[in-house]
Amino acid sequence: MSFSPLTSRLIEALTCLPGVGPKSAQRMALHLLDRDRNGGEKLAQTLQLAMDNIGRCQRCRNFSESEVCQTCTQTSRDASLLCVVETPADVIALDQSGGFRGYYFLLLGHLSPIDGIGPEEIGAPLLDQRLAEGEVKEMVIATGTTVEGEATAHYLSEMARRHGVVASRIAHGVPMGGDLEYVDSNTLSLALKGRKRLE
Amino acid sequence: MSFSPLTSRLIEALTCLPGVGPKSAQRMALHLLDRDRNGGEKLAQTLQLAMDNIGRCQRCRNFSESEVCQTCTQTSRDASLLCVVETPADVIALDQSGGFRGYYFLLLGHLSPIDGIGPEEIGAPLLDQRLAEGEVKEMVIATGTTVEGEATAHYLSEMARRHGVVASRIAHGVPMGGDLEYVDSNTLSLALKGRKRLE
Ligand SMILES: [Zn+2]
Ligand SMILES: [Zn+2]
């Protein structure tokens, strides 16, 4: 005996979610079927819409259903400051810290030659083009504090130097080896204030 | 700054899943958008299908996309044995234990007057009708070992008595206050063998 074929397919499909194994997926499926059909319907429709319509902002590479994202179209930001981060979650964390009011650029990862992730994969050509526009005066490098994050920061600071742009690195308070998105706003704000110019 | 409107809607929709708060939902949404569009598409479609097509088996009340579920149509089972459980997960757990080869009936909960859950809500009329058919000789009551589960077991044993059906209760090994679905197969098998007739 097992669940009905469609229930089994639903349980299987739910395991595509990170951190969801067969047991959690079973609990989720039964919960939706038993107690939250409306939630399930809404999730199905929103998921379909999101998968079909969310692409990348042509300017910062963040997820966006429009060609240029909302952040990149905000004119209230300081165009002389560009903060380079690894993930969309980093953008949220930094912006919520209140310590940065410029624009962002997303690498969507970091350099990792072993995994075949080179400059192309982290959007280096687009960033190069952005710096060539001449508006950016300082590039705040907020990549992770892992070995790869540091190597990526070095690579980016070299690119900034070629364009005569000041490169800085967020510093104080970010724990080594930690993910930005789990750092509290206060610490992130301090880290931004304490950023150091890279020579 | 925040995620794009559609990304935010996706994160919000994901929190309908049990055990998923805003942080996990964010991680899930970014994972699907970034690394598993196919998984996301498939989940959206399966979820929609499941919400639209899965109802209740007219015979046992388990989730089923057909009027009568697969288990209820299996003729290899012993029709003289009916096991009454609270949830679909309990059916899976008991069947996998190999200790039971009869049919099932699902209460989808237990009696709980405070929450307005009476005999109607746990499908008592349908169960009454099933016992009246005369095929069932023994009703194995496998409700939970909580206070409500025990009260429900008592109510069911009275119903069985009215129909001249033997009522038994799974016994040995099921930890008090525990959920059946987290009990291992061996323990469940023993509990079924050690079931006691209720007087
Ligand atoms: Zn953008
Ligand atoms: Zn059935």
Side-chain angles (χ1 to χ4, degrees):
Chain A
M1 192 277 167
S2 59
F3 291 111
S4 79
L6 190 48
T7 308
S8 298
R9 277 173 57 197
L10 176 58
I11 292 169
E12 167 67 25
L14 281 162
T15 60
C16 77
L17 298 170
V20 177
K23 263 286 175 191
S24 312
Q26 178 180 312
R27 208 176 66 240
M28 287 172 171
L30 295 180
H31 173 86
L32 293 178
L33 288 169
D34 196 18
R35 286 188 288 269
D36 197 7
R37 297 269 173 155
N38 284 346
E41 286 273 355
K42 200 174 155 194
L43 177 55
Q45 287 153 17
T46 312
L47 200 45
Q48 188 71 61
L49 267 178
M51 294 297 118
D52 289 349
N53 295 293
I54 295 177
R56 295 290 184 184
C57 169
Q58 290 181 354
R59 200 150 170 79
C60 74
R61 303 179 86 215
N62 205 345
F63 291 121
S64 173
E65 54 269 32
S66 47
E67 289 202 352
V68 175
C69 79
Q70 290 184 316
T71 306
C72 287
T73 54
Q74 283 172 353
T75 51
S76 57
R77 290 179 181 262
D78 183 347
S80 71
L81 287 173
L82 184 68
C83 185
V84 182
V85 297
E86 295 188 7
T87 73
D90 295 340
V91 175
I92 302 282
L94 286 167
D95 230 55
Q96 280 174 354
S97 81
F100 184 74
R101 281 290 163 246
Y103 291 91
Y104 293 93
F105 185 88
L106 285 82
L107 304 174
L108 308 174
H110 44 233
L111 291 175
S112 183
I114 305 170
D115 305 309
I117 301 174
E120 281 283 343
E121 284 69 28
I122 62 170
L126 187 63
L127 181 57
D128 204 63
Q129 190 183 312
R130 176 77 165 263
L131 297 185
E133 289 174 6
E135 255 194 322
V136 176
K137 302 302 175 205
E138 179 183 353
M139 182 163 81
V140 181
I141 305 172
T143 51
T145 51
T146 57
V147 174
E148 292 88 355
E150 293 292 351
T152 306
H154 178 73
Y155 173 86
L156 295 171
S157 69
E158 291 295 320
M159 182 193 287
R161 193 191 317 267
R162 284 198 304 277
H163 288 281
V165 168
V166 172
S168 56
R169 181 99 171 95
I170 56 166
H172 301 106
V174 179
M176 292 303 290
D179 275 330
L180 281 191
E181 67 172 304
Y182 299 113
V183 178
D184 65 286
S185 291
N186 242 347
T187 307
L188 278 175
S189 186
L190 276 174
L192 281 158
K193 279 197 195 110
R195 65 184 182 265
K196 294 208 182 89
R197 179 171 174 161
L198 297 178
E199 304 302 332
Chain B
M1 192 274 168
S2 60
F3 290 110
S4 79
L6 191 47
T7 308
S8 298
R9 277 172 59 198
L10 175 58
I11 292 169
E12 167 68 26
L14 281 162
T15 61
C16 77
L17 298 171
V20 177
K23 263 284 175 194
S24 313
Q26 179 180 312
R27 209 176 66 241
M28 288 173 170
L30 295 181
H31 172 86
L32 293 178
L33 288 170
D34 197 18
R35 286 189 288 269
D36 196 9
R37 296 269 172 154
N38 285 344
E41 286 272 355
K42 202 175 154 192
L43 177 55
Q45 288 153 17
T46 312
L47 199 47
Q48 188 71 61
L49 267 177
M51 294 299 117
D52 289 348
N53 295 293
I54 295 177
R56 296 289 184 185
C57 169
Q58 290 182 354
R59 199 146 172 80
C60 74
R61 303 180 87 216
N62 205 343
F63 291 120
S64 174
E65 55 268 32
S66 47
E67 289 202 353
V68 176
C69 78
Q70 291 184 316
T71 307
C72 287
T73 53
Q74 282 171 355
T75 51
S76 57
R77 291 178 180 263
D78 183 348
S80 72
L81 286 173
L82 184 69
C83 184
V84 182
V85 297
E86 295 189 7
T87 74
D90 295 339
V91 176
I92 301 283
L94 287 166
D95 231 54
Q96 280 174 354
S97 80
F100 185 74
R101 282 290 163 245
Y103 291 91
Y104 293 93
F105 186 88
L106 285 81
L107 305 174
L108 307 175
H110 43 235
L111 291 175
S112 182
I114 305 170
D115 305 309
I117 301 174
E120 281 282 343
E121 284 70 28
I122 61 169
L126 188 62
L127 180 58
D128 204 64
Q129 189 182 313
R130 175 78 164 263
L131 297 184
E133 288 173 8
E135 255 194 321
V136 175
K137 303 302 174 205
E138 179 182 352
M139 183 163 80
V140 181
I141 304 172
T143 51
T145 52
T146 57
V147 174
E148 292 88 355
E150 294 291 350
T152 307
H154 178 74
Y155 172 85
L156 295 171
S157 70
E158 292 294 322
M159 183 192 287
R161 191 189 318 268
R162 286 197 303 277
H163 289 281
V165 167
V166 172
S168 57
R169 180 100 171 94
I170 56 166
H172 302 106
V174 179
M176 291 303 290
D179 275 331
L180 280 192
E181 67 173 303
Y182 300 114
V183 179
D184 64 287
S185 292
N186 241 349
T187 308
L188 278 174
S189 185
L190 276 172
L192 282 158
K193 279 195 195 110
R195 65 185 183 264
K196 294 207 181 89
R197 179 171 174 161
L198 298 177
E199 304 303 331

